[in-house]
Amino acid sequence: MKAVYHKKLFVLNCGSSSIKYKLFHLHAEEETVLAEGIVERIGDVVKDYAQGFRIIAERLAEEGVLTSIRQLDAAAHRVVHGGRRYEKAVMIDEDVIDAIRECIPLAPLHNPANLEGIMTLRRLAPQLPQVAVFDTAFHQSMPPEAYRYALPKELEEEGVRRYGFHGISHHYLTRRTAKLLGKNRDRLNMITIHLGNGASMAAIENGRSIDTTMGMTPLEGLVMGTRCGDLDPGVVLWLCESKGMDARDADALLNRRSGLRGLCGTIDMREIVSRQSAGDEDASFAFRLFCRRIRKYIGAYTALLGRVDAIVFSGGIGTNSPEVREEVCRGLAGFGIDIDSEKNRQKVDDAVLIQSDGSRVAVAAIRTDEELQIAQESLALLSCM
Ligand code: ADP
């Protein structure tokens, strides 16, 4: 018999200037979203996180979904970096807080904001159980050959290794694809492709991540909105020696002025596609380079996996751009990957299969749901409470 439970869970994504929230009612086999929203301009129009949470509480009361914080069973936070310690969601205690703090040098933009959200909520609601779900956790199953760099051993001990990110999304996509195919995820091999402003891919063997394109930081791998992705480290040395750049200059160049923006001046894939059809050379080149990098990793991950059951597109671009999916899969028939152009053009609300009848590999376009993944991972912990 299934346990009967009713839990109200508050899923939070605290960024440097915003709080995104989704309130779930979780009960046997079903999740209902009671409310969702965002408070923006924290540190500017909204004074701090405490005021942000008060605004959310007022909204929830007005919407009639929650009159007191005491009606919540738990809060669950997306935390970007969990270092090498966490391969699963955890209940937040002093040790977890210390660990998130220790990972600040590895995620200087994200972990401080995530931590601030946790600490503020702790002050406002000391009795409320809080869960942390890490974006790095899903990739902790990578073997050392995937996560280590060929650098002197001591550096690895100091934390210089690949961690990977977008793990919550890759994890969700793995589960959702298994459900879509009606197969057991522990026996499925797939390549998940998350294409948002940040972009990464993962090689999934028997339901577990064995490689991913992002590294110690989110800079490695694919071409992204403003990040260059893979780059000869010699370029950085050249920039320092010949252009007199320091670490801050290089950070600004590689993280914020490169990628699609550096190539053609915009990060918006919709604009790139429409400029391309109007004959714009820079937009056209940016589009080709973006897709080619993804194709290159499909080849690499096919070699690692041996057998690929599914290719999965997601993120704002992967879900909404048939042009990108078509260009990425072009010429991959030799790998057993072939999409049906008509199926590829349909609008994706949740999850669809777009491969042709003759394609050996399933190809899916799936709208990711990181909040739902966080809620379900938290529920596994809360049911033991
Ligand atoms: P984030 O990584 O910030 O969460 P998203 O996953 O929402 O971002 O993805 C944002 C990207 O999705 C943008 O580059 C945007 O241009 C792209 N996008 C959204 N809708 C479309 C569309 N219809 N066609 C092509 N690209 C789209």
Side-chain angles (χ1 to χ4, degrees):
M1 204 178 87
K2 275 226 142 60
V4 178
Y5 55 82
H6 285 274
K7 303 260 187 214
K8 279 202 173 111
L9 179 73
F10 200 30
V11 174
L12 292 163
N13 185 351
C14 297
S16 56
S17 66
S18 71
I19 304 175
K20 279 193 209 143
Y21 63 92
K22 219 170 196 181
L23 179 64
F24 285 91
H25 180 208
L26 303 165
H27 40 110
E29 300 276 311
E30 214 173 47
E31 310 83 15
T32 319
V33 177
L34 300 175
E36 63 184 302
I38 182 167
V39 175
E40 289 177 289
R41 303 185 68 178
I42 293 179
D44 171 19
V45 176
V46 177
K47 188 170 144 249
D48 52 17
Y49 283 93
Q51 196 189 359
F53 283 126
R54 277 193 287 274
I55 293 172
I56 297 172
E58 280 162 24
R59 280 188 200 163
L60 296 177
E62 266 168 39
E63 292 166 24
V65 285
L66 204 71
T67 47
S68 156
I69 213 160
R70 279 190 294 277
Q71 293 168 319
L72 283 175
D73 292 290
H77 296 261
R78 174 192 194 166
V79 179
V80 165
H81 219 305
R84 66 178 89 205
R85 207 148 123 203
Y86 299 108
E87 51 187 60
K88 280 201 177 90
V90 286
M91 297 299 302
I92 297 175
D93 59 12
E94 299 305 325
D95 275 357
V96 174
I97 288 172
D98 286 345
I100 297 172
R101 195 174 287 121
E102 276 162 28
C103 288
I104 287 178
L106 294 169
L109 297 179
H110 298 100
N111 271 33
N114 301 155
L115 193 58
E116 181 78 24
I118 292 167
M119 301 311 277
T120 307
L121 200 55
R122 265 192 150 201
R123 281 194 296 276
L124 295 174
Q127 308 303 328
L128 184 69
Q130 298 199 60
V131 176
V133 183
F134 299 96
D135 236 353
T136 47
F138 184 60
H139 301 301
Q140 284 295 302
S141 49
M142 290 194 292
E145 292 80 357
Y147 72 70
R148 283 189 58 180
Y149 292 117
L151 289 169
K153 222 174 153 188
E154 315 80 78
L155 283 172
E156 200 258 316
E157 281 147 25
E158 287 182 49
V160 183
R161 50 159 279 179
R162 309 179 66 250
Y163 297 94
F165 301 88
H166 290 144
I168 298 167
S169 179
H170 290 294
H171 195 173
Y172 176 80
L173 296 171
T174 303
R175 295 174 57 226
R176 187 68 190 86
T177 304
K179 199 167 154 205
L180 184 66
L181 297 175
K183 299 242 170 80
N184 183 340
R185 116 183 117 108
D186 297 338
R187 292 201 204 101
L188 277 179
N189 288 357
M190 59 182 104
I191 300 172
T192 50
I193 310 174
H194 177 105
L195 306 174
N197 287 317
S200 71
M201 293 169 60
I204 311 290
E205 184 174 62
N206 298 325
R208 291 156 63 86
S209 172
I210 60 151
D211 213 323
T212 190
T213 55
M214 282 177 169
M216 176 172 164
T217 75
L219 195 48
E220 194 179 340
L222 302 181
V223 175
M224 310 181 211
T226 62
R227 298 186 196 122
C228 58
D230 291 338
L231 183 80
D232 176 356
V235 172
V236 183
L237 304 179
W238 183 86
L239 289 169
C240 295
E241 292 203 343
S242 303
K243 304 284 272 183
M245 284 194 181
D246 61 16
R248 273 183 61 176
D249 302 328
D251 173 44
L253 174 72
L254 305 177
N255 271 309
R256 293 201 286 277
R257 300 209 314 273
S258 298
L260 297 173
R261 172 175 286 160
L263 292 168
C264 73
T266 178
I267 65 165
D268 189 334
M269 188 51 78
R270 279 163 295 202
E271 188 185 330
I272 292 174
V273 169
S274 77
R275 270 170 53 186
Q276 181 187 30
S277 38
D280 181 321
E281 269 307 311
D282 285 346
S284 186
F285 180 75
F287 180 84
R288 290 200 307 276
L289 180 49
F290 180 86
C291 295
R292 181 192 166 104
R293 185 79 52 87
I294 300 167
R295 252 211 319 269
K296 186 165 147 181
Y297 273 109
I298 290 179
Y301 286 175
T302 300
L304 286 180
L305 292 168
R307 183 198 85 233
V308 178
D309 301 307
I311 304 272
V312 186
F313 287 93
S314 191
I317 299 171
T319 311
N320 299 309
S321 176
E323 295 84 359
V324 167
R325 294 191 298 257
E326 188 173 315
E327 172 67 11
V328 166
C329 294
R330 193 172 50 79
L332 294 184
F335 285 80
I337 301 164
D338 186 41
I339 58 176
D340 177 305
S341 40
E342 204 150 302
K343 287 185 191 156
N344 184 38
R345 302 239 145 229
Q346 66 192 303
K347 188 169 175 292
V348 181
D349 289 321
D350 171 24
V352 293
L353 288 170
I354 57 168
Q355 76 275 11
S356 70
D357 292 341
S359 183
R360 189 171 40 74
V361 177
V363 184
I366 298 180
R367 190 170 293 280
T368 197
D369 194 338
E370 289 160 299
E371 292 84 8
L372 181 59
Q373 177 65 29
I374 292 172
Q376 287 171 337
E377 284 187 50
S378 308
L379 183 62
L381 274 176
L382 296 170
S383 341
C384 316
M385 272 168 49

